[in-house]
Amino acid sequence: MDQKRSIKRVYQHHHPQLNAIDGTCVTSYLVQFRNIPYAKTPRRFARSTILHQLPTCIGGQSTSFDAMDYGPCSVQPRDSIETDVHWNQLPDRPNREQDQAEDCLRLTVTCPIHTLNHASGKIPVIAFLHGGALMIGSGDRQYYDPIKLCTDALEKSKPVIFVSINYRLGAFGFLHCPEASDYLPPNNGLYDQILAFEWLQAYIAGFGGDPSNMTAIGQSAGAASLSLHSARLRSRALYQKAIVLSGSTTVLVTMTPEQHRQEFLYQAERLGIRVQGRSMEDIALEVIDAPVDAIRSLEYCGAPCSPSELIADPDWATMRHAQHTTPNAWLESQVICSSTYDGSISHLVAMGQERNQLAKVFVAICRARLKDPHQLLNIYHISQDDSDDVALRKICQVVTDLGFYGAAVSSLRGSATSLHTKSYHVLFDIGNPFTRLLEKCRFATHTWDIVSLLGAFDNMLPMDCQNGIQLWREAVLAYCYSGNLPGDTWRPDSQSLLVFRNDGVESLHHEQLTQSRQERLLRFAEQEGSESGYDLLWEDVLRFFLKTGNPRYSHEALELLQEHHQAEA
């Protein structure tokens, strides 16, 4: 046994199908099996295939599979951990380094030791899809460590098995060319996720897990992915319950096959590949052979392709489409959750741009694109005299209420037609105690929902939010067992909302919700564009405003301001 292994406490598990696996005891009651490969790719950019055995032969002799150390995550920018910590406003403390590799289709299984010893007693499984805009991230990030959640589960006599899933990101997961689909098929990263769920259905029972009681949790881009998997028709269940945290198909930017073709040519040129007068297949072969660091540097390659075999409807990434999408028959229940300030992501992006007169730009956009702009401005008390800091905070609240809360309502409306899936609407309103630019403990920021649930920073929490987070954790664990939350299920004629706050949990009903800021905004959007109103307001006003911070579009903001000044004069 080498020195690294001797420092750790080894736990060897004899899986009935996968044979001997060496894991690491992380506490007296929990063991982690890391770096378990669930799929492989025959070559770069190819579609992955599921693995049905672990590589346990060395020099022709069978040995146990070493699952003691973390495996690699998908290839992404080297500073992605620092980027993640910054954008999600988490504590700036040392994070473990993680290798990157193209061979990254790995998962980590955290489970109670006693379930391994008595595998006949199956317990609920949680499978986690991380966020990161489909371009950065890893399920094994230190701030996604599930040890506290699993420990609390044991103490509450509700043990669970937690599985963290890695999948291909960026160019390796999503670069696509329609004319060279044999070499670069679309949506590889999404197909990787599907294979991970299929692998768990086949093999998690050997770790003591119950494949018929699996809850999938997706956050941000992982939540958007989960929304797709829950709705796309499949004959066999991938999981039985879903918790969608702060993300929907609406938050993803999808590209058509033609847009993917143009993006492929653009990225090929960035790699130094000649594209003029050449076939797409010849260009694709050169892209496949490009140095990994060159491909790592490519930007904005995290866009799913729609329409495609996986995503048949070209309007998939719209709130209107979500309102007509029914979950799969095998999905027993789902929780659709947003945070009260998911716009923190947009807030920080805008803070990093050199722009000013934000209130005047936003007012000008509203007047140019809305029939009744004053109604929207009055709901959020936005004045063109607001300072840039004040205006940005207010505008990003609109982004939150429409792009996340409104997207959640859209999904719930589609699910309401289902006779087989219970749906719960949840609002996470426990303030992030680690924010810097924003006031501490006031804003429930993007990603804080999943980080607080898993508990990596529990020892750093102030007293006034510990009770709320504990109630949040207990509710999720109870849901994983029963598929029920303490509030009522959501129905169009009897809407209900379960709100988690520092001081407890509150269940709001239709009459209480009617006058809320969020519901007033949604009624306004419907007045502006009927069934398509959410998307019109999202695309024509909010995303357009955020886009004007990009130098490529700043001239459009300048033109609107000039028109606004002329109208006032």
Side-chain angles (χ1 to χ4, degrees):
M1 183 177 295
D2 61 33
Q3 184 175 4
K4 181 187 290 186
R5 287 170 63 89
S6 66
I7 296 174
K8 300 177 180 178
R9 184 180 163 203
V10 184
Y11 185 97
Q12 187 171 92
H13 173 55
H14 293 274
H15 192 284
Q17 298 152 288
L18 303 173
N19 300 320
I21 308 175
D22 290 343
T24 297
C25 292
V26 291
T27 73
S28 300
Y29 307 100
L30 294 171
V31 60
Q32 278 188 340
F33 300 97
R34 304 160 177 164
N35 193 29
I36 298 178
Y38 64 85
K40 63 179 179 179
T41 54
R43 56 163 177 76
R44 180 183 284 177
F45 298 117
R47 189 76 80 221
S48 58
T49 57
I50 198 166
L51 276 175
H52 292 289
Q53 59 183 12
L54 299 179
T56 56
C57 288
I58 299 178
Q61 294 185 344
S62 180
T63 182
S64 60
F65 179 77
D66 186 350
M68 297 191 65
D69 296 315
Y70 292 102
C73 63
S74 179
V75 174
Q76 55 196 282
R78 295 289 188 189
D79 61 352
S80 61
I81 294 180
E82 292 77 7
T83 300
D84 233 3
V85 168
H86 174 72
W87 292 126
N88 292 313
Q89 304 186 83
L90 300 175
D92 190 12
R93 65 188 236 185
N95 283 279
R96 57 172 171 257
E97 293 294 327
Q98 187 172 14
D99 292 336
Q100 300 181 13
E102 296 177 54
D103 180 18
C104 65
L105 304 183
R106 314 296 177 97
L107 47 80
T108 294
V109 179
T110 304
C111 54
I113 292 175
H114 78 270
T115 65
L116 296 168
N117 295 330
H118 305 88
S120 59
K122 307 302 182 187
I123 64 173
V125 180
I126 299 175
F128 172 55
L129 290 179
H130 69 82
L134 301 178
M135 289 186 283
I136 65 171
S138 165
D140 294 321
R141 292 281 197 256
Q142 199 161 328
Y143 34 89
Y144 293 145
D145 195 323
I147 291 176
K148 185 66 171 78
L149 173 70
C150 292
T151 299
D152 280 10
L154 282 172
E155 292 175 353
K156 299 294 181 182
S157 298
K158 285 185 168 59
V160 294
I161 291 176
F162 191 94
V163 183
S164 307
I165 298 169
N166 284 331
Y167 52 96
R168 283 177 289 179
L169 304 168
F172 289 99
F174 295 92
L175 188 63
H176 167 54
C177 179
E179 292 90 344
S181 284
D182 288 344
Y183 298 105
L184 290 98
N187 305 320
N188 276 329
L190 298 174
Y191 279 99
D192 294 341
Q193 297 169 2
I194 293 171
L195 287 190
F197 287 121
E198 291 180 348
W199 190 95
L200 289 173
Q201 285 294 324
Y203 298 109
I204 199 62
F207 293 95
D210 183 356
S212 66
N213 190 3
M214 185 181 301
T215 301
I217 298 181
Q219 203 280 332
S220 195
S225 304
L226 206 55
S227 298
L228 169 66
H229 302 321
S230 294
R232 182 175 183 265
L233 290 177
R234 300 183 66 84
S235 58
R236 295 176 56 192
L238 297 179
Y239 41 84
Q240 291 73 40
K241 297 183 285 293
I243 301 178
V244 177
L245 296 177
S246 296
S248 69
T249 54
T250 309
V251 303
L252 293 181
V253 177
T254 60
M255 295 197 302
T256 65
E258 176 57 28
Q259 288 172 323
H260 267 282
R261 178 182 184 276
Q262 295 302 321
E263 180 71 11
F264 167 74
L265 293 173
Y266 170 74
Q267 301 292 7
E269 288 185 320
R270 289 192 63 198
L271 291 170
I273 297 171
R274 181 176 61 83
V275 301
Q276 294 297 325
R278 304 183 65 197
S279 73
M280 293 296 173
E281 290 189 349
D282 286 344
I283 299 170
L285 288 172
E286 281 204 52
V287 171
I288 290 173
D289 288 336
V292 63
D293 283 332
I295 298 176
R296 184 200 314 278
S297 67
L298 299 181
E299 299 175 351
Y300 312 119
C301 290
C305 182
S306 173
S308 61
E309 181 184 1
L310 184 62
I311 309 170
D313 197 316
D315 295 326
W316 169 64
T318 65
M319 287 182 255
R320 181 180 180 277
H321 182 268
Q323 294 180 32
H324 297 276
T325 301
T326 304
N328 274 299
W330 45 256
L331 187 65
E332 298 171 4
S333 66
Q334 62 179 348
V335 176
I336 310 294
C337 178
S338 58
S339 297
T340 48
Y341 202 63
D342 276 309
S344 60
I345 292 289
S346 300
H347 190 126
L348 287 176
V349 170
M351 288 291 290
Q353 298 168 338
E354 294 183 6
R355 53 194 312 200
N356 50 37
Q357 301 186 80
L358 298 183
K360 290 184 177 180
V361 170
F362 188 74
V363 170
I365 292 172
C366 290
R367 290 181 175 176
R369 309 216 163 171
L370 297 175
K371 291 181 289 188
D372 185 8
H374 296 291
Q375 188 174 344
L376 173 64
L377 299 173
N378 288 339
I379 291 174
Y380 291 87
H381 307 290
I382 297 172
S383 164
Q384 63 181 6
D385 297 324
D386 286 337
S387 67
D388 286 341
D389 286 345
V390 170
L392 184 59
R393 187 171 299 177
K394 292 177 179 178
I395 294 164
C396 288
Q397 188 64 67
V398 190
V399 170
T400 297
D401 293 349
L402 185 69
F404 293 88
Y405 183 94
V409 170
S410 296
S411 180
L412 289 162
R413 285 180 176 174
S415 300
T417 61
S418 170
L419 299 177
H420 43 73
T421 303
K422 295 185 300 185
S423 297
Y424 294 92
H425 190 194
V426 170
L427 187 64
F428 181 80
D429 191 27
I430 300 175
N432 184 344
F434 304 119
T435 53
R436 299 179 181 88
L437 295 174
L438 298 169
E439 185 180 337
K440 290 183 177 181
C441 297
R442 178 180 173 187
F443 295 92
T445 55
H446 195 67
T447 307
W448 177 232
D449 47 8
I450 184 65
V451 171
S452 64
L453 172 67
L454 300 183
F457 303 121
D458 265 27
N459 63 337
M460 301 171 64
L461 295 178
M463 289 293 297
D464 58 358
C465 71
Q466 290 181 13
N467 180 58
I469 288 175
Q470 192 60 38
L471 290 173
W472 167 234
R473 195 171 295 155
E474 289 174 5
V476 169
L477 289 171
Y479 174 80
C480 292
Y481 267 77
S482 67
N484 297 316
L485 284 178
D488 295 329
T489 56
W490 193 93
R491 288 286 179 264
D493 56 348
S494 59
Q495 298 178 31
S496 59
L497 177 68
L498 195 63
V499 185
F500 286 85
R501 299 193 176 99
N502 285 351
D503 55 357
V505 186
E506 183 178 10
S507 184
L508 303 179
H509 296 281
H510 183 72
E511 296 76 13
Q512 298 165 290
L513 291 172
T514 301
Q515 295 307 312
S516 70
R517 181 193 65 234
Q518 295 96 326
E519 293 293 335
R520 290 167 61 201
L521 171 67
L522 299 189
R523 288 198 298 274
F524 165 74
E526 290 168 358
Q527 292 169 16
E528 285 286 324
S530 186
E531 190 179 51
S532 300
Y534 293 11
D535 295 304
L536 289 172
L537 185 55
W538 179 244
E539 293 292 342
D540 290 357
V541 176
L542 296 172
R543 272 191 166 166
F544 180 77
F545 168 79
L546 297 172
K547 191 170 68 171
T548 57
N550 186 317
R552 292 170 59 187
Y553 303 100
S554 58
H555 66 282
E556 297 181 36
L558 181 60
E559 289 174 0
L560 278 172
L561 270 180
Q562 290 172 342
E563 293 173 6
H564 178 59
H565 291 323
Q566 290 172 1
E568 284 192 324

